[in-house]
Amino acid sequence: MPNNRHIQPGVHYLQGSQACVEGAIIAGCRVYGGYPITPASEVMEHAALRIPQIGGRFIQMEDEIASACILLGASWGGAKAMTATSSPGFSLMQETISYGIMSETPLVIVDVQRPGPGQGYITTSQEDVMQARWGHHGEGSIIALAPASVQEMFEFTIEAFNLSEKWRTPVLLMAEETVAHMRERLIVPPLEEIRIVNRKKPQDLGIAPENYLPWGHDMVAPMANWGEGYNVNLIGLVHLEDGNVTKYDLQMHDACVKRFYHKIEDNVDTISQIETAHFEKCKHLVVCYGSVSRTAIEAVTEARKEHNLEIGYLRLKTLWPFPEKKLRSLIKKVDTIFVPEMNLGMMKHPITEALRDRCRKIISIPSLGSLHTPEYILSVIHEELK
Amino acid sequence: MNSEPVNAYNKPSQLDRFEIRIAGFGGQGVVTIGRILGVAFTVHDRKNSVNTQSYGPESRGGACRSEIVMSDGDINYPYVRKADVFVCLSQTAYDTYIHDLKEDGLLLLDPNSVPTDSIDDGYKFYSIPAMELARQIGSVKFQNTVALGALYVLIKEHLNEESLRKAIAESVPRETLEENIKAFGIGLEHMKAHYAE
Amino acid sequence: MKKHPMLKYLKEEGPMGDRLPMILCPGCGSGQVLNAAFHAIDKIIEEDGIAKENFVFITGVGCSARLTSHYLNFDSGWTIHGRTLPIATGALLANPELRIIVITGDGDTGAIGGNHFIHACRRNIDLTILCINNGLYGMTGGQVAPTTGIGLKTSTTPYGNTEESFDLSKMAETAGATYVARWTTAHPRQTVRAIMKGVRKKGTAFIEIMSQCPVHWKETPVDMLKALKKNSVRLKGDEAVPNGKIPIGEFCNIEKPEWIESYQKVIDQFN
């Protein structure tokens, strides 16, 4: 239950990084493991300050691999856990994310993206959006959210925990330096109005230890934590519902991987969130995500107002699983789709796959290392549509 | 989050943005002024504001910048597009940002850092010898609050003085509160004394 | 036939049972270590009144890791290569009531997990680490390990090993572990006693067990056990151990603040 050590309802003025930690605490995060990296260190510093105040445990680990592993252990130890890193550290966490997908472990990783490759730079970026989906080895889907404001750093972190507990899977918050460092209004609603999801427990479902299947019973299995007498053998190999790996065969392999793949991909419509503006009957469309959407809506509004362009706006609040069907049902026919991103056109690929027959042309508006200005987006639109 | 698409921008985008840029060197307290303004605008005056600061290796010791975008409505693009007010505390900052100031924008500068004879024609400028005045209360570290007092005079139609004083009290270390309030007053009085309303 | 008393800790029968025999090769020393660990924990459950469900076994990847996999009638984690210690640390952060036994190998601890190993010892977090050292990578086919002796031929040192090796027990002691002991699979009783001491120690306990891999060293298990017994010398004060011999016994047994307890003081300020 929320208590007075949570952030209080009302108006606050916080950095995105701070709002993220405050959201995590409200969601029930009680373990934070991390490793400093620019521009994500502010998240870690705020966690170091706040997590012990709420009775949780914070630890600075020896690297990002260890930080991600803290979440894995903590989650099976019964706590909701989080880490934050930036792109090079995110690369180091991929093996653990993969293990988390296979073992169906709820955990939340915040990536405050910076440009790459290599050390790249320490400014802002959306260059990890593909790594989020495809960076881990093996099949298996992932959930990734893209916040665009300090308010969303708070709300989406809570949502990330809720989704990870509901679907028993790692969830990624794909933030950027822009949104993590800016200070802005945060309105905290009455705490009792905030929806918190906790993992399903075999105890609550009346499942005794001798009948418990750690990866069975349902599409998303109830989860017994260590220390509860359920003799759970956590495993990273393909497994049967009871965790037995001696009876390996191709059918078991197929069923194991497809179940946790489909639990996410088949529920894309419930998981994914889309926001639109000036959308009805628009002739052209800007599709965007993260803080770029703040520039995009500014550009779209100006293009409509000052240049009478019939251009609409659509934002992916959830990047993965990719809402292909939802996009196809929303967008029947447009002329040109513009995709501004702080990379060289990464999300343009799944957008093209979904909408290539629903438009005349798809134009990437790339930016490396800085947020697009409205003038830049407008100039590309005008150049294309002149 | 609702799973249905939502129209988040029912109101037209607010083009009535008010933008302030403060720039100087690291250590002049540039970032602190930005944050204090944000708290004053948003927490106490219930307006919307976004505060960003210069970011990159140059923010350590070298040039430093803080920006505030204020609006009665939503703020989308978070950075300054064309500044309404530019508080300039170094020559480098002047050279870098002066052309992002609106033609009718206001320029507030420390004449000991930015020689006033180098100011481009056409910009209306106000002088505040912030460092010099701060020395009078014992330390140059209060120069940012002196500058904030002067800045307040330029933006008072948008901000309640009481809100700003509350924000200062909440943001500075308790042991320097008295000096900071004094510094704020000195900046404010200097402007009133040297520039007619 | 009378059943082995420790079979109760394995998923031998019942709805979740039927998982034996273990995958390990005949003559492998790992089973001996698991047996010693069961005996130690059995006694601790009986003598200290700690609930069985509080024990968690965590392994990484490699032959040693197969000791948990899916065989145990305990909570366990068969986790990521080299990452046993941060995962165990995370579990303890979530629930300090857990008694965590990490079973690992010389490759898991000394190579891929080397950094985590020294930092876990430095923090002195309440874990018991059992490191089965067979001097090579068994699971992947007998490659050289950071513990392989100089000159030895393995599948990746066909012309003989040219690298110096690590002394893992000395590393643990130097890095800050509060209980460190080394025994061999030829010293089963001493191993059980060391594990009991390790579990009872509030802090990081590191117990290295020199073990045989008859398959990759191409010797019989009996010869290897005899050699382990013959080549090991008990540590006695500062007395030097002759070159080429394996020092066995307790390297250290000291008291130092344990991390979870130290951090609890931080939390308690706010209560």
Coordinates of all heavy atoms in Angstrom, one line a residue, chain A residues 5 31 52-53 55-63 65-66 69-70 72-74 77 79 95 99 210 212-213 226-227 229 231-235 237 242-246, chain C residues 11 15-16 19 52-53 56 58 69-70 72-80 83 86-87 89-91 93-96 98 115-116 119 123 259 263-264 267 270-271:
Chain A
R5 N 6.0 7.8 2.3 CA 7.3 7.9 1.8 C 7.2 7.8 0.2 O 8.2 7.9 -0.4 CB 8.2 6.8 2.3 CG 8.5 7.0 3.8 CD 9.6 6.1 4.2 NE 9.7 6.1 5.6 CZ 9.5 5.1 6.4 NH1 9.4 3.9 5.8 NH2 9.5 5.2 7.7
V31 N 14.0 -3.4 -5.3 CA 15.4 -3.7 -5.5 C 15.9 -2.9 -6.8 O 15.2 -2.9 -7.8 CB 15.7 -5.2 -5.7 CG1 17.1 -5.4 -6.1 CG2 15.4 -5.9 -4.4
P52 N 16.2 3.1 -0.4 CA 16.3 2.7 1.0 C 15.2 3.4 1.9 O 14.8 2.9 2.9 CB 17.7 3.1 1.5 CG 18.2 4.1 0.4 CD 17.5 3.7 -0.8
Q53 N 14.8 4.6 1.5 CA 13.8 5.4 2.2 C 12.5 4.6 2.3 O 11.7 4.8 3.2 CB 13.5 6.7 1.6 CG 14.7 7.7 1.8 CD 14.5 9.0 1.1 OE1 13.4 9.3 0.5 NE2 15.4 9.9 1.2
G55 N 12.4 1.3 2.2 CA 12.7 0.0 2.8 C 13.2 -1.0 1.8 O 13.3 -2.2 2.0
G56 N 13.6 -0.5 0.6 CA 14.1 -1.4 -0.5 C 15.6 -1.4 -0.4 O 16.2 -0.7 0.5
R57 N 16.3 -2.1 -1.3 CA 17.7 -2.2 -1.3 C 18.3 -1.8 -2.7 O 17.8 -2.2 -3.7 CB 18.2 -3.6 -1.0 CG 17.9 -4.0 0.4 CD 18.3 -5.4 0.8 NE 18.0 -5.6 2.2 CZ 16.8 -6.0 2.6 NH1 15.9 -6.3 1.8 NH2 16.6 -6.2 3.9
F58 N 19.3 -0.9 -2.6 CA 19.9 -0.4 -3.8 C 21.4 -0.9 -3.8 O 22.0 -0.9 -2.7 CB 19.9 1.2 -3.7 CG 20.9 1.8 -4.7 CD1 20.5 2.2 -6.0 CD2 22.2 2.0 -4.4 CE1 21.3 2.7 -6.9 CE2 23.1 2.5 -5.3 CZ 22.7 2.9 -6.5
I59 N 21.9 -1.3 -4.9 CA 23.3 -1.7 -5.0 C 23.9 -1.3 -6.3 O 23.3 -1.3 -7.3 CB 23.4 -3.3 -4.8 CG1 24.9 -3.7 -4.5 CG2 22.8 -4.0 -6.0 CD1 25.0 -5.1 -4.0
Q60 N 25.1 -0.7 -6.1 CA 25.9 -0.4 -7.3 C 26.8 -1.6 -7.6 O 27.6 -2.0 -6.8 CB 26.8 0.8 -7.1 CG 27.6 1.2 -8.3 CD 28.2 2.6 -8.2 OE1 27.6 3.5 -7.7 NE2 29.4 2.8 -8.8
M61 N 26.6 -2.2 -8.8 CA 27.3 -3.4 -9.2 C 28.6 -3.1 -9.9 O 28.9 -1.9 -10.2 CB 26.4 -4.3 -10.0 CG 25.2 -4.8 -9.2 SD 25.8 -5.7 -7.7 CE 26.4 -7.3 -8.3
E62 N 29.3 -4.1 -10.3 CA 30.7 -4.0 -10.9 C 30.6 -3.7 -12.4 O 31.5 -3.3 -13.0 CB 31.5 -5.2 -10.6 CG 30.9 -6.5 -10.9 CD 30.1 -7.1 -9.7 OE1 29.8 -6.3 -8.8 OE2 29.8 -8.3 -9.6
D63 N 29.4 -4.0 -13.0 CA 29.2 -3.7 -14.4 C 27.7 -3.9 -14.8 O 26.9 -4.2 -13.9 CB 30.1 -4.6 -15.3 CG 29.8 -6.1 -15.1 OD1 28.7 -6.5 -14.8 OD2 30.8 -6.9 -15.3
I65 N 26.3 -6.1 -16.7 CA 25.9 -7.5 -16.8 C 25.4 -7.9 -15.4 O 24.3 -8.4 -15.2 CB 27.1 -8.4 -17.2 CG1 27.6 -8.1 -18.6 CG2 26.7 -9.9 -17.1 CD1 28.8 -8.8 -19.0
A66 N 26.2 -7.5 -14.4 CA 25.9 -7.8 -13.0 C 24.6 -7.1 -12.6 O 23.7 -7.6 -11.9 CB 27.0 -7.4 -12.1
C69 N 21.7 -8.9 -13.9 CA 21.5 -10.2 -13.1 C 20.9 -9.9 -11.7 O 20.3 -10.8 -11.2 CB 22.9 -10.9 -13.0 SG 23.4 -11.6 -14.6
I70 N 21.2 -8.8 -11.2 CA 20.5 -8.4 -9.9 C 19.0 -8.5 -10.0 O 18.3 -9.1 -9.2 CB 20.9 -7.0 -9.4 CG1 22.4 -7.0 -8.9 CG2 20.0 -6.4 -8.4 CD1 22.6 -7.7 -7.6
L72 N 17.3 -10.3 -12.2 CA 16.9 -11.7 -12.4 C 16.8 -12.4 -11.0 O 15.8 -13.0 -10.7 CB 18.0 -12.4 -13.2 CG 17.6 -13.6 -14.0 CD1 16.5 -13.2 -15.1 CD2 18.8 -14.1 -14.8
G73 N 17.8 -12.3 -10.2 CA 17.8 -12.9 -8.9 C 16.8 -12.3 -8.0 O 16.0 -13.0 -7.3
A74 N 16.6 -11.0 -8.0 CA 15.7 -10.3 -7.1 C 14.2 -10.7 -7.5 O 13.4 -10.9 -6.6 CB 15.8 -8.8 -7.2
G77 N 13.6 -13.9 -6.2 CA 13.6 -13.7 -4.7 C 12.3 -13.1 -4.2 O 12.1 -12.9 -3.0
A79 N 11.0 -9.9 -5.4 CA 10.9 -8.4 -5.4 C 10.7 -7.9 -6.8 O 11.1 -8.6 -7.8 CB 12.1 -7.8 -4.8
E95 N 22.2 -10.6 -22.9 CA 22.2 -12.0 -22.6 C 21.2 -12.3 -21.4 O 20.5 -13.2 -21.4 CB 23.6 -12.5 -22.2 CG 23.7 -14.0 -22.0 CD 25.0 -14.5 -21.3 OE1 25.6 -13.7 -20.6 OE2 25.3 -15.6 -21.5
Y99 N 17.8 -14.5 -21.2 CA 17.5 -15.5 -20.2 C 16.1 -15.1 -19.5 O 15.3 -16.0 -19.2 CB 18.6 -15.5 -19.1 CG 18.5 -16.6 -18.1 CD1 19.2 -17.8 -18.3 CD2 17.6 -16.5 -17.0 CE1 19.1 -18.8 -17.4 CE2 17.5 -17.5 -16.1 CZ 18.2 -18.7 -16.3 OH 18.1 -19.7 -15.4
E210 N 3.3 -29.7 -4.8 CA 3.4 -31.0 -5.5 C 2.7 -31.0 -6.9 O 3.0 -31.8 -7.7 CB 3.0 -32.2 -4.6 CG 1.6 -32.2 -4.1 CD 1.4 -31.4 -2.8 OE1 2.3 -30.6 -2.5 OE2 0.4 -31.7 -2.1
Y212 N 2.5 -28.0 -8.7 CA 2.9 -26.7 -9.3 C 3.7 -26.9 -10.5 O 4.8 -27.6 -10.5 CB 3.5 -25.8 -8.3 CG 4.1 -24.5 -8.9 CD1 3.2 -23.7 -9.5 CD2 5.4 -24.2 -8.8 CE1 3.7 -22.5 -10.1 CE2 5.9 -23.0 -9.3 CZ 5.1 -22.1 -9.9 OH 5.5 -21.0 -10.5
L213 N 3.3 -26.3 -11.6 CA 4.1 -26.3 -12.9 C 4.7 -24.9 -13.1 O 3.9 -24.0 -13.4 CB 3.3 -26.7 -14.0 CG 2.6 -28.0 -13.9 CD1 1.5 -28.2 -15.0 CD2 3.6 -29.2 -13.9
W226 N 11.4 -18.0 -4.9 CA 12.2 -18.8 -4.1 C 11.9 -18.5 -2.6 O 11.5 -17.4 -2.2 CB 13.7 -18.4 -4.3 CG 14.2 -18.9 -5.7 CD1 13.8 -19.9 -6.4 CD2 15.3 -18.4 -6.4 NE1 14.5 -20.1 -7.6 CE2 15.5 -19.1 -7.6 CE3 16.2 -17.3 -6.2 CZ2 16.5 -18.9 -8.5 CZ3 17.2 -17.0 -7.1 CH2 17.3 -17.8 -8.3
G227 N 12.0 -19.6 -1.8 CA 11.8 -19.4 -0.4 C 10.3 -19.7 0.0 O 10.0 -19.5 1.2
G229 N 8.8 -22.7 -0.7 CA 8.5 -24.1 -0.5 C 8.0 -24.8 -1.8 O 7.5 -25.9 -1.7
N231 N 9.9 -25.5 -4.4 CA 11.0 -26.3 -5.1 C 11.1 -26.0 -6.6 O 11.2 -26.9 -7.4 CB 10.9 -27.8 -4.9 CG 11.0 -28.2 -3.4 OD1 11.7 -27.5 -2.7 ND2 10.3 -29.2 -3.0
V232 N 11.2 -24.7 -6.9 CA 11.2 -24.2 -8.3 C 12.7 -24.4 -8.8 O 13.6 -23.8 -8.2 CB 10.8 -22.8 -8.4 CG1 10.9 -22.3 -9.9 CG2 9.4 -22.6 -7.8
N233 N 12.8 -25.1 -9.9 CA 14.1 -25.2 -10.5 C 14.1 -24.2 -11.7 O 13.7 -24.6 -12.8 CB 14.4 -26.6 -11.0 CG 14.4 -27.6 -9.9 OD1 14.0 -28.8 -10.0 ND2 14.9 -27.2 -8.7
L234 N 14.6 -23.0 -11.5 CA 14.7 -22.0 -12.5 C 15.6 -22.5 -13.6 O 16.7 -23.0 -13.3 CB 15.1 -20.7 -11.9 CG 15.7 -19.6 -12.9 CD1 14.6 -19.1 -13.8 CD2 16.3 -18.4 -12.1
I235 N 15.2 -22.3 -14.8 CA 16.0 -22.9 -15.9 C 16.0 -22.0 -17.2 O 15.1 -21.2 -17.4 CB 15.3 -24.3 -16.2 CG1 16.3 -25.4 -16.3 CG2 14.4 -24.2 -17.4 CD1 15.7 -26.7 -16.0
L237 N 17.2 -23.4 -20.2 CA 17.1 -24.3 -21.4 C 15.6 -24.4 -21.8 O 14.7 -24.2 -20.9 CB 17.6 -25.7 -21.1 CG 19.0 -26.1 -21.7 CD1 20.0 -25.2 -21.0 CD2 19.2 -27.6 -21.4
D242 N 6.8 -28.4 -16.4 CA 7.3 -28.6 -15.0 C 8.8 -28.3 -14.8 O 9.3 -28.4 -13.7 CB 7.0 -30.0 -14.5 CG 7.8 -31.1 -15.3 OD1 8.5 -30.7 -16.3 OD2 7.7 -32.3 -15.0
G243 N 9.4 -27.8 -15.9 CA 10.9 -27.5 -15.8 C 11.8 -28.7 -16.0 O 13.0 -28.5 -15.9
N244 N 11.2 -29.8 -16.4 CA 12.0 -31.0 -16.7 C 12.7 -30.8 -18.1 O 12.0 -30.5 -19.1 CB 11.1 -32.2 -16.7 CG 11.8 -33.5 -16.7 OD1 13.0 -33.6 -17.2 ND2 11.2 -34.5 -16.1
V245 N 14.0 -31.0 -18.2 CA 14.6 -30.9 -19.5 C 15.2 -32.3 -19.9 O 15.8 -32.4 -21.0 CB 15.8 -29.9 -19.5 CG1 15.2 -28.5 -19.2 CG2 16.9 -30.2 -18.5
T246 N 14.9 -33.3 -19.2 CA 15.5 -34.6 -19.6 C 14.8 -35.1 -20.8 O 15.3 -35.9 -21.6 CB 15.4 -35.7 -18.5 OG1 14.0 -35.8 -18.1 CG2 16.3 -35.5 -17.4
Chain C
K11 N 14.8 -34.8 -7.1 CA 13.5 -35.1 -7.7 C 13.6 -36.5 -8.3 O 13.8 -36.7 -9.5 CB 13.1 -34.0 -8.7 CG 12.7 -32.7 -8.1 CD 12.0 -31.8 -9.0 CE 11.4 -30.6 -8.2 NZ 11.9 -29.3 -8.5
P15 N 5.2 -36.5 -8.8 CA 4.7 -35.9 -10.0 C 5.8 -35.1 -10.7 O 5.9 -35.0 -11.9 CB 3.6 -35.0 -9.6 CG 3.5 -35.0 -8.1 CD 4.4 -36.1 -7.6
M16 N 6.7 -34.5 -9.9 CA 7.8 -33.7 -10.6 C 9.1 -34.5 -10.6 O 10.1 -34.0 -10.9 CB 8.0 -32.4 -9.8 CG 6.8 -31.5 -9.6 SD 6.2 -31.0 -11.2 CE 4.5 -30.9 -10.7
R19 N 13.6 -37.7 -12.7 CA 14.6 -36.9 -13.5 C 16.0 -37.5 -13.4 O 16.9 -37.0 -14.0 CB 14.6 -35.4 -13.0 CG 13.3 -34.8 -13.2 CD 13.3 -33.4 -12.8 NE 11.9 -32.9 -12.9 CZ 11.5 -31.6 -12.8 NH1 12.5 -30.7 -12.5 NH2 10.3 -31.2 -12.9
K52 N 13.9 -25.7 5.4 CA 14.5 -26.2 4.2 C 14.1 -25.3 3.0 O 15.0 -25.0 2.1 CB 13.9 -27.6 3.9 CG 14.4 -28.2 2.6 CD 13.7 -29.5 2.2 CE 13.8 -29.8 0.8 NZ 13.0 -29.0 -0.1
E53 N 12.9 -24.7 3.0 CA 12.6 -23.8 1.9 C 13.4 -22.5 1.8 O 13.3 -21.8 0.8 CB 11.1 -23.5 1.9 CG 10.6 -22.7 3.1 CD 9.6 -23.5 3.9 OE1 9.8 -24.8 4.0 OE2 8.6 -23.0 4.3
V56 N 18.5 -22.0 -1.2 CA 18.4 -21.9 -2.7 C 19.7 -22.2 -3.2 O 20.8 -21.7 -2.8 CB 18.0 -20.5 -3.1 CG1 17.9 -20.4 -4.7 CG2 16.7 -20.0 -2.5
I58 N 22.2 -22.0 -6.4 CA 22.3 -21.3 -7.7 C 23.6 -21.8 -8.4 O 24.7 -21.8 -7.8 CB 22.3 -19.8 -7.5 CG1 21.0 -19.4 -6.9 CG2 22.6 -19.0 -8.8 CD1 20.8 -17.9 -6.6
S69 N 20.4 -27.8 -12.2 CA 19.5 -27.9 -13.4 C 18.1 -28.2 -12.9 O 17.4 -27.3 -12.4 CB 20.0 -28.9 -14.4 OG 20.4 -30.1 -13.8
H70 N 17.6 -29.4 -13.0 CA 16.2 -29.7 -12.7 C 16.1 -30.8 -11.7 O 15.1 -31.5 -11.6 CB 15.4 -29.9 -13.9 CG 15.9 -31.1 -14.7 ND1 15.2 -31.6 -15.7 CD2 17.1 -31.7 -14.6 CE1 16.0 -32.6 -16.3 NE2 17.1 -32.7 -15.6
L72 N 16.9 -30.8 -8.2 CA 16.9 -30.6 -6.8 C 15.4 -30.5 -6.2 O 14.6 -29.9 -6.9 CB 17.6 -29.4 -6.4 CG 19.1 -29.3 -6.8 CD1 19.8 -28.2 -6.1 CD2 19.8 -30.6 -6.5
N73 N 15.3 -31.1 -5.1 CA 14.0 -30.8 -4.3 C 14.2 -29.6 -3.4 O 13.8 -29.6 -2.3 CB 13.7 -32.1 -3.4 CG 12.5 -32.8 -3.9 OD1 11.7 -32.2 -4.6 ND2 12.4 -34.0 -3.6
F74 N 14.9 -28.6 -4.0 CA 15.1 -27.3 -3.3 C 14.7 -26.3 -4.4 O 14.7 -26.6 -5.6 CB 16.6 -27.1 -3.0 CG 17.1 -27.8 -1.7 CD1 17.8 -29.0 -1.8 CD2 16.8 -27.2 -0.5 CE1 18.3 -29.6 -0.7 CE2 17.3 -27.9 0.7 CZ 18.0 -29.1 0.6
D75 N 14.5 -25.1 -3.9 CA 14.5 -24.0 -4.9 C 15.9 -23.9 -5.5 O 16.9 -24.0 -4.8 CB 14.2 -22.6 -4.2 CG 12.7 -22.5 -3.9 OD1 11.9 -23.1 -4.7 OD2 12.3 -21.9 -2.9
S76 N 16.0 -23.6 -6.8 CA 17.3 -23.5 -7.4 C 17.2 -22.7 -8.7 O 16.1 -22.4 -9.2 CB 17.8 -24.9 -7.8 OG 17.1 -25.4 -8.9
G77 N 18.4 -22.3 -9.1 CA 18.5 -21.5 -10.4 C 19.7 -22.0 -11.1 O 20.8 -22.0 -10.7
W78 N 19.4 -22.5 -12.3 CA 20.4 -22.9 -13.3 C 20.5 -21.8 -14.2 O 19.7 -21.6 -15.1 CB 20.0 -24.2 -14.0 CG 20.9 -24.7 -15.0 CD1 22.2 -24.4 -15.2 CD2 20.6 -25.8 -15.9 NE1 22.7 -25.1 -16.3 CE2 21.8 -26.0 -16.7 CE3 19.5 -26.5 -16.2 CZ2 21.8 -26.9 -17.8 CZ3 19.5 -27.5 -17.2 CH2 20.7 -27.7 -18.0
T79 N 21.5 -20.9 -14.0 CA 21.4 -19.5 -14.6 C 22.4 -19.3 -15.7 O 22.6 -20.2 -16.5 CB 21.5 -18.5 -13.5 OG1 22.9 -18.5 -12.9 CG2 20.5 -18.7 -12.4
I80 N 23.0 -18.2 -15.7 CA 23.9 -17.7 -16.9 C 25.4 -18.0 -16.5 O 25.8 -17.8 -15.4 CB 23.6 -16.3 -17.2 CG1 22.1 -16.0 -17.3 CG2 24.3 -15.8 -18.4 CD1 21.8 -14.5 -17.4
R83 N 27.5 -15.8 -14.1 CA 26.7 -14.7 -13.4 C 26.0 -15.2 -12.1 O 25.1 -14.6 -11.6 CB 25.6 -14.2 -14.3 CG 26.1 -13.9 -15.8 CD 27.2 -12.9 -15.9 NE 27.8 -12.9 -17.2 CZ 29.0 -12.6 -17.5 NH1 29.9 -12.3 -16.6 NH2 29.4 -12.7 -18.7
P86 N 26.1 -12.3 -9.0 CA 25.2 -11.2 -9.0 C 23.7 -11.7 -8.9 O 22.9 -11.0 -8.3 CB 25.4 -10.5 -10.4 CG 26.4 -11.3 -11.1 CD 27.1 -12.2 -10.2
I87 N 23.4 -12.8 -9.5 CA 22.0 -13.4 -9.4 C 21.7 -13.7 -8.0 O 20.7 -13.4 -7.4 CB 21.8 -14.5 -10.4 CG1 21.9 -14.0 -11.9 CG2 20.5 -15.3 -10.1 CD1 22.0 -15.1 -12.9
T89 N 23.2 -12.4 -5.4 CA 23.1 -11.2 -4.7 C 21.7 -10.5 -4.8 O 21.2 -10.1 -3.8 CB 24.2 -10.2 -5.2 OG1 25.5 -10.8 -5.0 CG2 24.2 -8.9 -4.4
G90 N 21.2 -10.6 -6.0 CA 19.9 -10.0 -6.3 C 18.8 -10.7 -5.5 O 17.9 -10.1 -4.9
A91 N 18.9 -12.0 -5.4 CA 17.9 -12.8 -4.6 C 18.0 -12.4 -3.1 O 17.0 -12.3 -2.4 CB 18.2 -14.3 -4.8
L93 N 19.1 -9.6 -1.9 CA 18.5 -8.2 -1.8 C 17.0 -8.2 -1.6 O 16.4 -7.5 -0.9 CB 18.9 -7.4 -3.0 CG 20.1 -6.4 -2.8 CD1 21.4 -7.1 -2.6 CD2 20.3 -5.5 -4.1
A94 N 16.4 -9.2 -2.4 CA 14.9 -9.3 -2.4 C 14.5 -9.9 -1.1 O 13.5 -9.5 -0.5 CB 14.4 -10.1 -3.5
N95 N 15.2 -10.9 -0.6 CA 14.8 -11.7 0.6 C 16.1 -12.2 1.4 O 16.6 -13.2 1.1 CB 14.0 -12.9 0.1 CG 13.5 -13.7 1.3 OD1 13.8 -13.4 2.5 ND2 12.8 -14.8 1.0
P96 N 16.5 -11.4 2.3 CA 17.7 -11.7 3.1 C 17.5 -13.0 4.0 O 18.5 -13.5 4.5 CB 17.9 -10.5 4.0 CG 17.1 -9.4 3.4 CD 16.0 -10.1 2.7
L98 N 16.9 -15.8 2.7 CA 17.3 -16.9 1.9 C 18.7 -17.3 2.3 O 19.6 -16.5 2.7 CB 17.3 -16.6 0.4 CG 15.9 -16.3 -0.2 CD1 16.0 -15.9 -1.6 CD2 14.9 -17.4 0.0
N115 N 35.2 -11.2 -12.5 CA 35.0 -9.9 -11.9 C 33.9 -9.9 -10.8 O 34.1 -9.3 -9.7 CB 34.6 -8.9 -13.0 CG 34.7 -7.5 -12.6 OD1 35.6 -7.1 -11.8 ND2 33.9 -6.6 -13.2
H116 N 32.8 -10.7 -11.1 CA 31.8 -10.8 -10.1 C 32.3 -11.5 -8.8 O 31.9 -11.2 -7.7 CB 30.6 -11.6 -10.6 CG 30.1 -11.1 -12.0 ND1 29.8 -9.8 -12.2 CD2 29.9 -11.8 -13.1 CE1 29.4 -9.6 -13.4 NE2 29.4 -10.8 -14.0
H119 N 34.3 -9.1 -6.6 CA 33.4 -8.1 -6.0 C 32.5 -8.7 -5.0 O 32.2 -8.0 -4.0 CB 32.7 -7.3 -7.1 CG 33.6 -6.3 -7.8 ND1 34.0 -5.1 -7.3 CD2 34.3 -6.4 -9.0 CE1 34.8 -4.5 -8.1 NE2 35.1 -5.3 -9.1
R123 N 32.4 -7.3 -1.2 CA 31.2 -6.8 -0.5 C 31.0 -7.6 0.8 O 30.3 -7.2 1.7 CB 30.0 -7.0 -1.3 CG 29.8 -5.9 -2.3 CD 28.5 -6.1 -3.1 NE 28.7 -5.3 -4.3 CZ 28.9 -5.7 -5.5 NH1 28.9 -7.0 -5.8 NH2 29.1 -4.9 -6.5
W259 N 27.4 -7.3 4.1 CA 26.8 -6.2 3.3 C 25.3 -6.0 3.7 O 24.9 -4.9 3.9 CB 27.0 -6.4 1.8 CG 26.5 -5.2 1.1 CD1 27.2 -4.1 0.9 CD2 25.2 -4.9 0.5 NE1 26.5 -3.1 0.2 CE2 25.2 -3.6 0.0 CE3 24.0 -5.7 0.4 CZ2 24.1 -3.1 -0.7 CZ3 23.0 -5.1 -0.2 CH2 23.0 -3.9 -0.8
Y263 N 23.8 -2.6 5.1 CA 22.8 -1.8 4.3 C 21.5 -1.6 5.1 O 20.8 -0.6 5.0 CB 22.5 -2.4 3.0 CG 21.8 -1.4 2.0 CD1 22.5 -0.4 1.4 CD2 20.4 -1.5 1.8 CE1 21.8 0.5 0.6 CE2 19.8 -0.6 1.0 CZ 20.5 0.4 0.4 OH 19.8 1.3 -0.4
Q264 N 21.2 -2.6 6.0 CA 20.0 -2.5 6.8 C 20.1 -1.3 7.7 O 19.1 -0.7 8.0 CB 19.9 -3.8 7.7 CG 18.5 -4.0 8.3 CD 17.4 -4.0 7.4 OE1 17.4 -4.6 6.3 NE2 16.3 -3.2 7.7
I267 N 18.8 1.5 5.8 CA 17.3 1.5 5.7 C 16.7 1.9 7.0 O 15.7 2.6 7.1 CB 16.8 0.0 5.3 CG1 17.3 -0.4 4.0 CG2 15.3 -0.1 5.4 CD1 17.1 -1.8 3.6
F270 N 15.3 5.3 8.3 CA 14.1 5.9 7.8 C 12.9 5.3 8.5 O 11.7 5.6 8.2 CB 14.0 5.8 6.3 CG 15.1 6.4 5.6 CD1 16.1 5.6 5.0 CD2 15.3 7.8 5.6 CE1 17.2 6.1 4.4 CE2 16.4 8.3 4.9 CZ 17.4 7.5 4.4
N271 N 13.1 4.4 9.5 CA 12.0 3.8 10.2 C 11.7 4.5 11.5 O 12.5 5.0 12.1 CB 12.3 2.3 10.5 CG 12.1 1.5 9.2 OD1 11.3 1.8 8.3 ND2 12.8 0.4 9.1

